[in-house]
Amino acid sequence: MSVLFEPVTLRNLTIPNRIWMAPMCQYSAAVEGPDQGAPTDWHLSHLAARAVGGAGLILAEATAVSPEGRISPADLGLWNDRQREAFTRVTRFLREHGAVPGIQLAHAGRKASVRRTWEGGGPTGPGEHGWQPIAPSPVPFNDGHPTPAELSVGDIDRLVGDFAAAARRALAAGFQVAEIHGAHGYLIAEFLSPFSNRRTDAYGGSYDNRTRFALRVVDAVREVWPDELPLFFRISATDWLAEDPRDDREGWSADDTVRFAKDLLAHGVDLLDVSTGGNVAGARIPTGPGYQVPFAAKVKAETDLPVSAVGEITRPRQAEEIIASGQADAVMLGRELLRDPYWPNHAARELGAAEGRWPDQYHRAV
């Protein structure tokens, strides 16, 4: 029996296997009009294909909790009921085909208002449906990026409410897992790291202050998210500054992540989705097969919080070893599922687990 295909239960929700689809932005929502931010036929076909392909959990891409929280003008949102209703056909299809539907709730912070990746990804202004980004501190992400407006305490209170309201809509839309996006240099990650958080009030300076906003968001979402359903948190386990002896700038470290994981567990988070990077432009990142897995393994070894691992996981036996060796409880696949939506079903055959979860319509090809 392959451990990769063993079910996992978090709270009262059982996910049928340990191969999960990581959230990946598609930049394909309407940028204006009544359907702004709502999922389209593209999102349905994109997510549905991975459910048919056998993934146990499908995490929809970073979905903004407010209009200025989008990464690009073409991002998904969940700040109104029209968007909520559009998501229902997506969640219904995923559940009908054996996958658990999840959604990542996000705010892009100082990395907001940029073009789509295939358009260069640079900042976009008001004449191109853009807006001024907001952040914990008026520190631009990179050269050429605008200086973000510094959030007031009142703004922070509003944003906490935005996350809770989006979580309510996610539940009404049929999602069974909510993930708070605290990684990759977006708003919550900007608060966590001293590299981007220069505040001198209750939300900056000390570790307790820098984690205050994230924990307030967790508490607000957990309050409206049912006790029987799990809540995830995605984190960048390091800014990659502490790992680079040539760089003496202060950032977020793997040890900070272990400490924070214990806090998240105490506040009702059920799994830490461990990634890295994204907050420091030009950081030196030594990529390679499974290069982020050791950070997930460190959290799993030093805390009681379940974890998922991500990052150049491309081969079934590689994924199997990550789970079998106790480095993670599940693997998140990103680009590999873009290349092959049926990767989980192919992996089942390679590992001798079963014939996979092929739909009846495809059995003649199995």
Side-chain angles (χ1 to χ4, degrees), residues 137-224:
S137 303
V139 181
F141 172 64
N142 200 3
D143 295 341
H145 284 247
T147 299
E150 184 174 41
L151 291 164
S152 69
V153 173
D155 294 331
I156 292 170
D157 292 340
R158 174 181 57 81
L159 285 165
V160 172
D162 288 342
F163 273 93
R168 288 191 191 95
R169 291 191 177 96
L171 180 66
F175 288 102
Q176 295 174 288
V177 171
E179 176 173 274
I180 297 169
H181 197 351
H184 301 157
Y186 298 121
L187 183 66
I188 292 176
E190 293 163 18
F191 271 94
L192 294 178
S193 175
F195 179 82
S196 48
N197 185 345
R198 315 288 174 81
R199 299 178 74 97
T200 58
D201 63 1
Y203 292 93
S206 68
Y207 166 89
D208 287 340
N209 284 356
R210 286 184 284 109
T211 59
R212 188 182 309 277
F213 174 63
L215 293 177
R216 283 193 64 193
V217 169
V218 168
D219 288 344
V221 172
R222 186 74 267 181
E223 184 175 352
V224 302

Side-chain angles (χ1 to χ4, degrees), residues 32 42 50 55 76 91 126 128 147-148 162 171 180 240 261 263 274 276 285 287 299 313-314 316 331 353:
E32 59 184 348
W42 174 264
R50 279 76 200 172
L76 290 179
T91 60
E128 302 173 282
T147 299
D162 288 342
L171 180 66
I180 297 169
W240 289 101
D263 294 337
V274 182
T276 66
I285 302 176
T287 61
V299 174
I313 299 169
T314 60
V331 293

Side-chain angles (χ1 to χ4, degrees), residues 90-302:
V90 176
T91 60
R92 182 169 57 248
F93 186 96
L94 300 186
R95 294 173 74 164
E96 286 174 353
H97 289 271
V100 171
I103 191 167
Q104 186 182 70
L105 303 177
H107 194 293
R110 65 178 182 160
K111 296 178 75 174
S113 191
V114 298
R115 296 179 182 87
R116 293 180 289 192
T117 54
W118 57 87
E119 296 170 341
T124 181
E128 302 173 282
H129 303 288
W131 59 93
Q132 184 184 20
I134 56 178
S137 303
V139 181
F141 172 64
N142 200 3
D143 295 341
H145 284 247
T147 299
E150 184 174 41
L151 291 164
S152 69
V153 173
D155 294 331
I156 292 170
D157 292 340
R158 174 181 57 81
L159 285 165
V160 172
D162 288 342
F163 273 93
R168 288 191 191 95
R169 291 191 177 96
L171 180 66
F175 288 102
Q176 295 174 288
V177 171
E179 176 173 274
I180 297 169
H181 197 351
H184 301 157
Y186 298 121
L187 183 66
I188 292 176
E190 293 163 18
F191 271 94
L192 294 178
S193 175
F195 179 82
S196 48
N197 185 345
R198 315 288 174 81
R199 299 178 74 97
T200 58
D201 63 1
Y203 292 93
S206 68
Y207 166 89
D208 287 340
N209 284 356
R210 286 184 284 109
T211 59
R212 188 182 309 277
F213 174 63
L215 293 177
R216 283 193 64 193
V217 169
V218 168
D219 288 344
V221 172
R222 186 74 267 181
E223 184 175 352
V224 302
W225 197 248
D227 287 343
E228 64 269 18
L229 295 179
L231 175 63
F232 292 6
F233 191 99
R234 183 165 236 198
I235 196 164
S236 283
T238 177
D239 285 343
W240 289 101
L241 296 180
E243 283 70 29
D244 188 347
R246 298 165 293 181
D247 202 323
D248 60 0
R249 293 175 293 179
E250 186 180 5
W252 182 263
S253 71
D255 287 338
D256 291 327
T257 295
V258 169
R259 179 179 178 183
F260 189 49
K262 296 173 183 178
D263 294 337
L264 291 172
L265 180 62
H267 283 256
V269 168
D270 301 289
L271 181 137
L272 191 64
D273 179 3
V274 182
S275 186
T276 66
N279 197 42
V280 179
R284 300 178 183 93
I285 302 176
T287 61
Y291 73 101
Q292 297 180 126
V293 174
F295 295 97
K298 179 178 175 67
V299 174
K300 185 164 178 62
E302 299 181 27

